[in-house]
Amino acid sequence: MPKRTRLAAAALAAVTLAAPTLANADCKLLLLAEFKLDPKSYAPVADGAINARAIKVLVDSGATFSGVSSFAVNRLGLPTIEMVGMRAYGIGGDTQVFRAHINELKIGSYTKTGLDLFVSGDDSRAGPAELILGEDVLSKVDTEFDLAHNAIRLFEPKGCTAPQLVYWGAAYSQADLLTWDPEQPAIQTHAYINGKQILAELDSGAEQSVVDATAADADGVSRPPTAAGAETIHGMGREAVQSWTGRFDSFAIGDEKISHVSVQVLPFTRGMTYTETGDHTPRQLANTPSMFIGDDFLHSHRVFIDNQDHLILFSYQGGPVFNTPPPAAAK
C-alpha cells in the first residue's frame, strides 16, 4: 500500500457534486463539466457528439493536442487540410499530420464550437474512440480523475487551498506540477525509481504505466535474456518495439512511495517536427518524459490537478497501482 501523509479537510467530506458549486469558508469550487465514463472501458471513454452525430471520446491527458480519428473524418465527412512539413512521432514510427474542422463538439453538457483538430489513426477502423480530448483543453481548467467512479470532472476553483480541493475527505499525497510550455501543455512531475529522479507524465490515454527503456537501462534494470520474456508492441508506424516487465525496488511520486513494483518497460520516441526541408528525423524534446503514468495508477487513485498552485493531489483508493502484462510464453 502506498504511503500517504496528508489529510483533506473534514468539513468538505460530506459535500457532494449534486450542487453546481462546492464551498467551504472562502473556497468556491465551480463544477464546469462532468464526463460520465463507460464502465465497460478501462480507458476513460465518454459519449459525445460531433456536429450532432454520436461519437466516443477518449479523455487523454497524455495528448498535447486534441484530435479526431481518420475513421471519424471519413464517416462524418469533415473537411481537412494537410499541415505541410509536420509529422507526428510515437511508438513505432511517424505519420503525416492533417487537421479537420468541427463546427460543434458536445460531451454531456460541455460544448466547444469552431474547432480545428489534428487527424490521426487508420481510416479503415473505428477504434475504441473517435475523438481525443487532450491537454490543450484540459490544461485550461482544473481536472479531477475519478476513474473508480467512472467520472472525470472539470472545475474552476476560487480561493481554495489544497486540502479543500480534495473535497472527498480522504487522506492524500501531493506532487509538484511542473510548469509547461503554453504551446505544449502536459501534466508532468518528478518521480523516482530506485531513488533516481525521472520526468514522469500523467497519461490517461495509456492503459498501463510505462517506463522508457533508456531510463530502465540507466537504473540497471535488466532486460529479459531472450525474446520469450518480451512482448511485441505495434505503434503508429510499421515498426514494432519490444517491451518487458521491469522490477524496481521502489517507486515514488511526491510524498507517496511504493516498494517492490513491476512496471512495463519499452523504448519510445515522442515529439513533432516542424520542418520545411524534408528532414523528418524524430527529435527528443527537452520535456520528453521517461515515464508515462497511466490508467492503472488512475484507477487506484483519485487525482485532482491544481493548476493554480501547480500541484497534483491524489488519494490512494485501493488495488494494484501498476498493472503489467503476463510474461510471454516460451517457445
Side-chain angles (χ1 to χ4, degrees):
M1 177 180 293
K3 177 183 178 182
R4 297 159 291 162
T5 60
R6 290 179 169 83
L7 186 64
L12 283 179
V15 180
T16 70
L17 285 171
T21 302
L22 306 177
N24 182 34
D26 296 328
C27 170
K28 296 188 181 299
L29 191 54
L30 178 64
L31 176 64
L32 302 176
E34 181 176 30
F35 303 150
K36 297 185 182 301
L37 306 178
D38 182 354
K40 297 179 181 178
S41 172
Y42 191 73
V45 174
D47 289 328
I50 291 177
N51 301 342
R53 297 178 66 179
I55 60 163
K56 293 289 186 180
V57 178
L58 171 66
V59 183
D60 185 358
S61 65
T64 304
F65 305 106
S66 300
V68 61
S69 72
S70 296
F71 183 88
V73 167
N74 291 340
R75 182 174 73 86
L76 304 176
L78 302 177
T80 63
I81 182 171
E82 181 178 354
M83 308 301 291
V84 178
M86 182 186 298
R87 299 187 74 82
Y89 290 86
I91 296 171
D94 65 283
T95 60
Q96 181 60 49
V97 178
F98 294 81
R99 279 187 182 270
H101 182 74
I102 294 174
N103 293 329
E104 181 187 68
L105 168 66
K106 295 196 71 174
I107 311 171
S109 60
Y110 177 83
T111 302
K112 295 281 285 187
T113 58
L115 297 174
D116 290 305
L117 301 184
F118 287 105
V119 180
S120 64
D122 185 345
D123 59 9
S124 65
R125 295 185 300 167
E130 292 181 286
L131 185 137
I132 291 174
L133 192 71
E135 275 299 299
D136 53 342
V137 173
L138 299 177
S139 65
K140 293 177 171 57
V141 295
D142 282 6
T143 306
E144 178 197 352
F145 295 91
D146 187 11
L147 269 58
H149 298 98
N150 302 314
I152 290 176
R153 305 179 184 95
L154 308 183
F155 287 100
E156 181 184 352
K158 294 182 179 180
C160 299
T161 63
Q164 292 168 323
L165 294 175
V166 187
Y167 63 86
W168 50 90
Y172 73 98
S173 295
Q174 68 181 45
D176 291 334
L177 174 62
L178 302 182
T179 302
W180 62 81
D181 181 342
E183 299 299 320
Q184 294 182 330
I187 302 175
Q188 294 186 342
T189 187
H190 288 128
Y192 297 83
I193 52 174
N194 293 353
K196 295 182 180 179
Q197 179 178 287
I198 60 170
L199 182 63
E201 182 168 320
L202 191 69
D203 184 0
S204 61
E207 292 197 1
Q208 292 176 329
S209 299
V210 294
V211 173
D212 182 34
T214 302
D217 288 343
D219 198 51
V221 176
S222 60
R223 301 185 182 217
T226 66
E231 177 187 7
T232 301
I233 304 291
H234 293 275
M236 63 169 64
R238 290 174 295 178
E239 299 178 13
V241 295
Q242 295 293 314
S243 84
W244 64 96
T245 299
R247 293 174 172 81
F248 303 90
D249 292 334
S250 66
F251 168 82
I253 175 174
D255 50 13
E256 178 176 285
K257 183 176 181 179
I258 313 168
S259 299
H260 307 299
V261 298
S262 297
V263 187
Q264 188 179 24
V265 177
L266 65 124
F268 51 81
T269 302
R270 188 174 188 241
M272 281 190 175
T273 61
Y274 296 79
T275 66
E276 297 179 358
T277 62
D279 175 13
H280 292 151
T281 303
R283 296 173 175 84
Q284 289 286 9
L285 304 177
N287 65 341
T288 299
S290 295
M291 180 177 187
F292 290 102
I293 300 175
D295 294 333
D296 43 7
F297 184 92
L298 290 173
H299 275 278
S300 60
H301 293 79
R302 191 164 177 172
V303 180
F304 193 102
I305 307 302
D306 176 9
N307 287 312
Q308 181 175 351
D309 299 312
H310 299 285
L311 293 173
I312 302 173
L313 310 170
F314 48 102
S315 297
Y316 177 66
Q317 304 280 280
V321 174
F322 300 118
N323 294 331
T324 55
K331 294 182 180 179

